[in-house]
Amino acid sequence: TKGKVVFLCDTFTNYHRPEVGQATVGILEALGYEVLSPNRPCCGRTMISTGLLEDAKAYALRNVELLYPYVQAGIKVVGIEPSCVLTFRDDYLELLPDYDKAIAVADSTLLLEEFLLELRDSGEIENRFNKLNYNFLFFPHCHQKALLGSGPSLDTLRLVTSEPIGELDSGCCGMAGSFGHE
């Protein structure tokens, strides 16, 4: 194998769309990585959204302590749900200020598309994907759009198509996160 990667399986993927998580693991394995998926608690995003900050802080601490040994060993943490990944990278730094382990985990946590682009930039996956003759219209995740932008997602789609890629110029889907689900 090329190494190991931790798959950050989010709650929605785990319970509602496991086939998306399985496909993600399949991609990572096809690229030569051993995929690890440690049993861990929710990222706490819904707690943050509903003001349960002490509970979210406890979850953040548990996740950081669980993932830090992997990160310390040079293993990247890769997720597919922007809100969960960005909770690790943004909210945890607010919940656990000046905590070196939280900073290290945040710095090593990536969206799948960011991880794939790192591999592309290092020359590890050049020409690994068949080019599809599809036109894509990309609807960016609002949390991702606000904190990261849609560039990595669009660049990753360009790995699999030579056709133009459109992006919906819109705001949020209107689901309102956990509030909308409730």
Side-chain angles (χ1 to χ4, degrees):
T1 68
K2 288 185 180 179
K4 298 176 182 179
V5 64
V6 171
F7 175 49
L8 184 66
C9 187
D10 61 275
T11 303
F12 184 83
T13 299
N14 193 41
Y15 291 102
H16 297 287
R17 295 299 302 267
E19 67 276 10
V20 175
Q22 292 164 349
T24 301
V25 169
I27 290 169
L28 294 169
E29 288 177 342
L31 292 171
Y33 287 87
E34 178 184 347
V35 181
L36 309 172
S37 190
N39 188 16
R40 55 163 201 82
C42 171
C43 70
R45 173 80 248 155
T46 56
M47 293 170 213
I48 294 167
S49 297
T50 55
L52 300 172
L53 298 183
E54 287 305 313
D55 292 335
K57 184 176 180 177
Y59 274 59
L61 188 58
R62 286 174 53 202
N63 275 310
V64 166
E65 291 297 325
L66 176 73
L67 294 174
Y68 181 74
Y70 296 102
V71 168
Q72 192 176 29
I75 299 171
K76 298 284 186 178
V77 178
V78 177
I80 55 175
E81 168 50 47
S83 288
C84 291
V85 168
L86 294 170
T87 296
F88 277 71
R89 287 181 19 190
D90 184 53
D91 297 295
Y92 280 14
L93 300 179
E94 296 290 325
L95 291 168
L96 306 169
D98 302 318
Y99 187 48
D100 290 342
K101 289 181 181 180
I103 295 167
V105 169
D107 289 345
S108 294
T109 302
L110 304 166
L111 285 166
L112 175 63
E113 52 262 46
E114 293 173 308
F115 182 72
L116 293 174
L117 292 175
E118 279 189 2
L119 296 178
R120 178 205 62 190
D121 293 346
S122 68
E124 291 185 50
I125 61 168
E126 290 214 24
N127 302 317
R128 284 294 305 263
F129 299 100
N130 294 326
K131 296 286 186 175
L132 304 172
N133 292 325
Y134 293 132
N135 289 318
F136 288 98
L137 182 59
F138 180 64
F139 181 31
H141 188 287
C142 59
H143 200 161
Q144 176 183 3
K145 191 174 178 181
L147 294 181
L148 179 65
S150 57
S153 297
L154 294 170
D155 287 346
T156 302
L157 286 171
R158 288 184 185 101
L159 292 173
V160 298
T161 185
S162 54
E163 300 296 324
I165 300 169
E167 179 179 359
L168 287 176
D169 184 22
S170 64
C172 180
C173 67
M175 191 59 200
S178 61
F179 176 79
H181 284 288
E182 289 172 10

